[in-house]
Every structure is written in C-alpha cells, then in structure tokens.
Amino acid sequence: MEETIALAADGWGKLKDAFNEACESIDVRPHRYDLECVEPDEFHFEVNRLMGGLRTAALSFQFQQMPTRIYWTNHLRRNVDREGYLDLGTAGKHVTYGMGRTGVVLGDFVARKMMDLVKA
C-alpha cells in the first residue's frame, strides 16, 4: 500500500512538472495572455491565465491518495469536458494514468488541456 501511494505521489509530481514545462513554453510565444502555474499546497495545483493584469483560474488539480486519483476542473469550459479525474495505477515500479478502463499518455493529456486553455 505504501509503495502504491509513493508511486502515485511520483505520478502527481510528473503531472505538475509537465504542466510547468507547458506553461513555460507557452509563455515564450507571443500571444495575448500569460499562464502561471501555482501550487497552493502539496495536494493542489493550479494553472491560471493572466491577461491585462487580471488573473483567471483556468485549470485546477487535486491529488487524492486513496484511491490514488487526480481530480481536475477546467474553469474556462462550461459543459463538455469541464471536470474529471485521472486514476493513478502501478505497473511494476512505474506509475500509470487512466480514465476508466482507458490508459492515458501524460504528454497527450497535458497537450489537450493546454489546447483547451489556448482556445478558450
């Protein structure tokens, strides 16, 4: 059980790192707003959109240890794909991500969520 929680925490860290990298790469491109990633505490992570001095909550994530899961909310969407969760599992010494019975590639998940922010 402790090993599963430790691997899930590692998966949580990888998700935060991937979003931090995505925010940095978007910030170097010319566009009408900036993105900032903040971690209010060890179980929460947020991506905010900054435009004209205003901060708007864009994405928020919450890490849950049991069951090992990351809940997310897209604050810029109204209906479809507004919220959900990623299940964290283990395969040997590696963490896996999934939605229901479908596996999720972390890079693809991050790219889709970042595209949602750009389009909103």
Side-chain angles (χ1 to χ4, degrees):
M1 179 75 74
E2 290 179 22
E3 185 176 340
T4 300
I5 292 172
L7 283 171
D10 183 53
W12 170 237
K14 288 178 182 180
L15 178 123
K16 293 185 293 185
D17 291 346
F19 273 99
N20 275 312
E21 289 175 19
C23 284
E24 288 174 13
S25 70
I26 286 178
D27 283 346
V28 299
R29 298 181 192 156
H31 49 77
R32 46 192 180 121
Y33 54 83
D34 290 320
L35 297 173
E36 76 171 353
C37 294
V38 293
E39 188 173 355
D41 60 51
E42 65 182 307
F43 297 103
H44 295 89
F45 183 75
E46 300 169 353
V47 179
N48 297 316
R49 197 160 66 174
L50 307 169
M51 186 169 21
L54 297 174
R55 176 177 284 117
T56 304
L59 292 171
S60 60
F61 300 90
Q62 179 183 349
F63 176 57
Q64 177 180 300
Q65 290 183 331
M66 290 307 291
T68 53
R69 188 172 277 173
I70 298 170
Y71 289 94
W72 57 268
T73 302
N74 183 334
H75 301 282
L76 303 177
R77 306 265 324 220
R78 290 191 169 72
N79 297 320
V80 179
D81 204 24
R82 177 167 161 57
E83 56 190 15
Y85 60 87
L86 288 173
D87 285 315
L88 298 168
T90 59
K93 298 283 184 188
H94 302 282
V95 68
T96 60
Y97 302 88
M99 287 185 187
R101 295 178 179 247
T102 305
V104 174
V105 175
L106 181 60
D108 293 345
F109 175 79
V110 171
R112 280 193 312 273
K113 296 301 161 206
M114 295 303 283
M115 185 59 70
D116 286 347
L117 297 184
V118 172
K119 287 194 232 177

